Amino acid sequence: MSARDLVVLGSASAVPTRFRNHNGYLLRWDGHGLLFDPGEGTQRQMTLAGVSAHDVTWICVTHFHGDHCLGVPGIVQRIARDGVPHPVHAVFPAAGAVYWERLRHATAFVDTAVIRERPVSGDRAEIAAGPFTLTARRLSHPVEAYGYRLEEPDGVTMLPAELAARGVRGPLVRRLQEEGRITTRDGRTVTLEECSVRRPGQKVAFVMDTRLCDAAFELADGVDLLVIEATFLDEDAALAAEYGHLTAGQAGRVAARGGVRRLVLTHFSERYRADDEPRFAAQAAAAGFAGDIVVARDLDRVPLPRRRRAPAGGGRADG
């Protein structure tokens, strides 16, 4: 089975620490690799994590503060040096195109033609990306910043007992999946709805530097995995508002309202010590989030929750 998980390459905010690198998150999704916000040192972190430039098919930059993009030159040059043959799509705020251009061509190197630039603008942008859709929503930060939401379409799970009861077997099963309706040898009409249940598509959201805003809640709505900044603890909410960031409690509030299944807190200020880490999870939970909470650490691998499956007869259950 193809991997669907998050590799945390860095979890610091503006200033890296001895234990936390600048940002960097590789979402592995059935052979695709979406690299979000490669900060300084991301190339080395990838080596430590056992992933390579060949694993990257998308580079998604939320905004052009250095801790979210200073790793772009190294990543692009590594893609060129390693001869990555497949297209690598680069999504970034169009308003920061001048910064992207500087980063993309920061030094002399033998360039690559595989980078496909896909700048986003406006309050909302949607990019069709084959097996999933990538949606960008403008957030609230001192510079133009976007959050991202990856969403796959719903599928179906076939029900063997229902197929057998209607005499659908062999190649007819594939035809039923593709056409939605078939006629069996005895003349009966069988529909896909009679022999399957809906399999909800999985969803992931990345909400980096922002104040609380409608877009943050919209991005997080109903996702299986939410990766969200929690730069400050709640007692420093005034600083969070001043600099355009979230507290742990605010991140928990976003997750709770959205019905998120697994919450990954990250982008921690260097002001906090290691023994402060449990407080981030506690404050997110105190804000009403009752799901799984991960306080990100560098080189963590966080799996997506098991796929949701809608049972026969309506409703929804995890499976």
Side-chain angles (χ1 to χ4, degrees), residues 127-152:
I127 300 169
F132 52 80
T133 298
L134 191 65
T135 300
R137 290 285 279 113
R138 181 183 284 154
L139 298 171
S140 175
H141 197 54
V143 301
E144 187 162 80
Y146 285 84
Y148 295 104
R149 176 185 173 102
L150 181 150
E151 186 167 353
E152 71 172 341

Side-chain angles (χ1 to χ4, degrees), residues 23-290:
N23 285 281
Y25 312 91
L26 181 68
L27 178 65
R28 302 193 303 166
W29 185 282
D30 296 355
H32 292 267
L34 294 94
L35 178 60
F36 290 88
D37 282 1
E40 185 178 355
T42 295
Q43 183 181 177
R44 182 173 183 274
Q45 295 292 96
M46 288 173 64
T47 300
L48 294 174
V51 296
S52 76
H54 286 268
D55 295 316
V56 177
T57 57
W58 291 78
I59 300 171
C60 301
V61 176
T62 61
H63 66 293
F64 286 102
H65 279 153
D67 52 320
H68 297 261
C69 65
L70 282 175
V72 167
I75 295 299
V76 170
Q77 292 178 34
R78 187 61 177 269
I79 287 169
R81 182 184 185 278
D82 288 1
V84 171
H86 56 253
V88 177
H89 302 273
V91 186
F92 54 87
V98 62
Y99 300 114
W100 169 262
E101 187 66 16
R102 291 172 185 170
L103 293 163
R104 168 76 175 78
H105 300 286
T107 68
F109 69 104
V110 178
D111 206 351
T112 174
V114 303
I115 305 296
R116 308 283 194 267
E117 296 176 355
R118 307 184 74 164
V120 294
S121 60
D123 288 338
R124 187 179 191 276
E126 191 170 288
I127 300 169
F132 52 80
T133 298
L134 191 65
T135 300
R137 290 285 279 113
R138 181 183 284 154
L139 298 171
S140 175
H141 197 54
V143 301
E144 187 162 80
Y146 285 84
Y148 295 104
R149 176 185 173 102
L150 181 150
E151 186 167 353
E152 71 172 341
D154 290 347
V156 296
T157 296
M158 304 304 291
L159 301 175
E162 299 297 333
L163 292 168
R166 292 163 176 79
V168 180
R169 60 180 60 87
L172 287 179
V173 177
R174 174 60 62 85
R175 279 189 53 204
L176 181 60
Q177 290 175 305
E178 294 176 348
E179 300 174 15
R181 178 186 299 266
I182 60 169
T183 301
T184 62
R185 291 176 181 175
D186 61 6
R188 287 192 297 173
T189 298
V190 178
T191 66
L192 182 62
E193 289 76 12
E194 294 173 316
C195 300
S196 66
V197 293
R198 183 175 65 90
R199 185 184 67 231
Q202 290 189 307
K203 306 173 183 66
V204 176
F206 281 78
V207 178
M208 287 296 116
D209 297 14
T210 185
R211 302 175 183 89
L212 278 180
C213 61
D214 289 344
F217 288 104
E218 291 168 16
L219 288 165
D221 185 39
V223 301
D224 298 278
L225 184 72
L226 171 62
V227 185
I228 188 168
E229 68 127 314
T231 309
F232 294 98
L233 288 169
D234 287 352
E235 54 265 37
D236 294 318
L239 284 175
E242 179 181 356
Y243 292 110
H245 287 292
L246 297 174
T247 68
Q250 289 170 337
R253 179 178 162 194
V254 171
R257 185 183 296 184
V260 171
R261 300 177 67 201
R262 179 163 294 155
L263 171 64
V264 179
L265 303 175
T266 188
H267 193 270
F268 304 109
S269 170
E270 75 278 9
R271 71 179 54 236
Y272 303 112
R273 302 185 304 272
D275 56 7
D276 289 316
E277 289 182 5
R279 300 176 61 205
F280 285 89
Q283 291 184 0
F289 181 68

